[in-house]
Amino acid sequence: MLIQSASVARGTFVLCEYDASTGADDLTEISRKVLPKIPRTGAIRSYVYGGHTFNYLLDKDLIFLCIAAPTATELVFEFLNEFRRTFESLSRRSNREVELARMLRDLILRYNSDGGGRVQQVERDLEDVTDMMRNNLGKVMERGERIDSLLDKTSALKAESVSFRSSAKRYNDDLWWKDQRGKMFLCILALCVVVILTWLIVHSSERLTDS
């Protein structure tokens, strides 16, 4: 279960709460005990109490609090942000108590149904990465490679990278000079054509004047 319990309070006064857990612990009562202990610094924090991980979000004098699975922190704070937005939109209505309780229940159920699969996927990905790292470490140990040899390889790759960058820079500089020489040749050619045309025009004008 991703979200086990959630509540919103102003200071220590609870405005809305819902417990979706099926265990023996009364999570709403535990959450009420945690509220005075939460530090009022930072916007988003986690707090461990009584073997439970409490995630909370502070918004002015409001505290949005939930007990959730410790392996899905990103989803938990996504839930808290949506909880805050929905609470702000419903808190302006007249019969807000009933609507807030229904909203919180539906929000927890939706995250537990949609987010549960995502949590399992994250856990499977973590297991796959752990297995892959374990296998790679085993292969390294089997080959008898040491850390210093890996550092030597890293240094060699770094040297090759520097050499490649230098060669690439020289190649780009050569291309640039070739391009500039071509442009200079075209400019000189155009200047010669202009000079020749000017000379022909002036020479023709003088001949007409003499005649």
Side-chain angles (χ1 to χ4, degrees):
M1 181 179 293
L2 177 62
I3 307 296
Q4 301 176 31
S5 174
S7 60
V8 56
R10 178 172 282 109
T12 58
F13 180 74
V14 177
L15 302 175
C16 177
E17 60 186 357
Y18 183 77
D19 184 1
S21 65
T22 56
D25 293 340
D26 187 353
L27 298 185
T28 56
E29 182 63 25
I30 296 175
S31 298
R32 289 173 181 265
K33 292 180 180 179
V34 167
L35 284 172
K37 303 176 183 298
I38 293 178
R40 287 353 187 228
T41 56
I44 296 178
R45 297 278 183 173
S46 296
Y47 187 83
V48 179
Y49 176 81
H52 299 284
T53 301
F54 293 82
N55 300 282
Y56 63 91
L57 185 152
L58 302 177
D59 185 9
K60 298 178 182 178
D61 60 338
L62 295 176
I63 304 174
F64 296 86
L65 179 72
C66 74
I67 303 176
T71 57
T73 306
E74 183 178 352
L75 282 175
V76 171
F77 288 119
E78 180 181 322
F79 165 82
L80 288 174
N81 278 298
E82 185 170 352
F83 184 14
R84 177 182 60 179
R85 291 193 299 269
T86 311
F87 176 84
E88 289 175 352
S89 63
L90 293 179
S91 60
R92 303 182 183 91
R93 301 184 183 181
S94 57
N95 57 340
R96 63 179 187 177
E97 289 78 8
V98 177
E99 292 192 20
L100 286 173
R102 185 184 302 113
M103 173 274 296
L104 182 55
R105 180 199 63 192
D106 295 342
L107 187 62
I108 291 176
L109 292 177
R110 176 161 63 83
Y111 269 81
N112 284 339
S113 60
D114 297 341
R118 294 167 66 182
V119 172
Q120 295 176 0
Q121 181 63 41
V122 170
E123 292 177 347
R124 286 195 296 268
D125 292 342
L126 288 174
E127 291 178 358
D128 292 340
V129 171
T130 303
D131 292 339
M132 182 179 65
M133 293 179 64
R134 189 181 295 111
N135 292 333
N136 290 338
L137 182 59
K139 292 178 181 178
V140 170
M141 294 179 66
E142 289 174 1
R143 290 195 303 266
E145 293 185 2
R146 297 181 179 180
I147 298 299
D148 52 356
S149 65
L150 294 177
L151 292 176
D152 291 340
K153 292 179 180 179
T154 303
S155 300
L157 289 175
K158 184 178 180 180
E160 291 179 2
S161 175
V162 172
S163 176
F164 175 77
R165 285 198 297 267
S166 300
S167 300
K169 186 177 183 302
R170 286 196 301 270
Y171 178 73
N172 289 332
D173 291 341
D174 292 341
L175 289 179
W176 185 83
W177 278 114
K178 288 180 181 179
D179 183 59
Q180 294 301 316
R181 284 197 296 268
K183 291 181 179 179
M184 291 173 61
F185 176 76
L186 290 176
C187 290
I188 293 172
L189 182 61
L191 183 62
C192 291
V193 171
V194 170
V195 170
I196 292 173
L197 290 176
T198 303
W199 183 81
L200 290 175
I201 292 172
V202 172
H203 186 67
S204 299
S205 300
E206 290 178 353
R207 290 179 61 184
L208 288 175
T209 303
D210 294 339
S211 62

